């Protein structure tokens, strides 16, 4: 489904098992190269990609696709029909109870793929929707990287070279890495922002800088409005005192005693010229 369809679909799902963790994985393979990506578009058929993963997982003796959800490079979201949300995933050996497994297509280790904007936005939206649906806190205790576990599923709480089972979701995931600090800097904040955006009916909360810019723009508009009003006021004013003599001279030719500032100024100039009145500069 498209990312815009996910929340509506998720809201209708009945979750019957307890879920308090959202796993974060990259597929490593398939990746952007095997998918034959060109300008953000994959040449390989999407169903061939998904069925290829399913076939591999079955060959490992698993009962079905390992992950519950897959996020494609173009942002589309795939739900595993043989591993729906109510089925425990096969994402992290020894640590799957109470978890959902989300696989993100790509190899996000250093030197690997650079995540597309569409995929990044879809990933953030997906985790925000799941956090809201399942009432899961958006933090590094409940949104967890595969790299924070050992081969046996023991919790390390961070990526530790030589102890972590894998580098997954990648040493350059979200452009920052697979450590807890990287997650807290680059992954958790946008998910929190998206949660708030969804709560506010789709409206994104403004940052302090954005609010400042709005206030400055408002002040500029108000200033311009006052200037425009002043200009309009000059367009239809009664004869000023400094133009009284000119008015009296030409009044038989004027419809009324009102006109613009420029009109009265020109009338005075004409009056002085016609009467040979010289004014010192």
């Amino acid at each position: 489904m498209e990312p815009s369809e996910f929340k509506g679909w998720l809201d209708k799902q009945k979750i019957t098992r307890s879920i308090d963790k959202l796993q974060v994985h990259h597929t490593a393979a398939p990746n952007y190269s095997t998918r034959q990506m060109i300008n953000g578009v994959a040449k390989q058929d999407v169903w061939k990609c998904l069925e290829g993963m399913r076939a591999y997982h079955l060959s490992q003796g698993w009962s079905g696709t390992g992950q519950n959800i897959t996020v494609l490079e173009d942002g589309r979201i795939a739900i595993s029909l043989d591993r729906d949300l109510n089925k425990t995933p096969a994402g992290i050996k020894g640590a799957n109870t109470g978890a959902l497994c989300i696989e993100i297509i790509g190899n996000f280790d250093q030197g690997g793929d650079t995540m597309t904007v569409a995929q990044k936005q879809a990933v953030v939206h997906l985790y925000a929707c799941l956090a809201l649906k399942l009432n899961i806190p958006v933090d590094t205790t409940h949104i967890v990287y595969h790299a924070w576990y050992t081969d046996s599923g023991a919790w390390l709480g961070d990526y530790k070279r030589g102890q972590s089972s894998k580098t997954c979701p990648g040493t350059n995931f979200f452009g920052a890495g697979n450590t807890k600090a990287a997650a807290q800097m680059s992954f958790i904040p946008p998910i929190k922002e998206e949660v708030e955006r969804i709560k506010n009916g789709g409206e994104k909360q403004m940052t302090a800088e954005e609010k400042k810019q709005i206030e400055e723009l408002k002040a500029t508009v108000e200033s311009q409005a006052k200037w425009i009003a002043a200009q309009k006021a000059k367009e239809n004013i009664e004869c000023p005192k400094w133009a009284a003599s000119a008015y009296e001279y030409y009044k038989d030719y004027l419809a009324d005693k009102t006109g613009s500032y420029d009109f009265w100024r020109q009338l005075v100039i004409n009056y002085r010229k016609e009467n040979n009145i010289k004014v010192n500069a």
Side-chain angles (χ1 to χ4, degrees), residues 4 6 38 42 51 73 77-78 87 110 120 125 130 141 154 174 179 187 204 206 216 220 228 239 247 250 265:
S4 59
F6 181 69
I38 300 176
E51 283 298 319
E73 66 288 323
I77 297 169
K87 291 184 178 178
Q110 288 286 348
K120 183 175 286 190
H125 181 66
L130 289 170
T141 300
F174 259 61
T179 64
F187 194 53
K204 182 180 178 181
M206 289 190 293
E216 290 175 350
T220 299
I228 292 171
C239 177
Y247 170 74
Y250 291 112
R265 180 174 176 274

Side-chain angles (χ1 to χ4, degrees), residues 181-201:
Q184 292 171 332
M185 176 184 71
S186 67
F187 194 53
I188 297 300
I191 296 174
K192 287 183 176 180
E193 288 181 10
E194 182 66 0
V195 165
E196 291 305 312
R197 188 191 71 83
I198 295 171
K199 284 182 178 180
N200 292 327

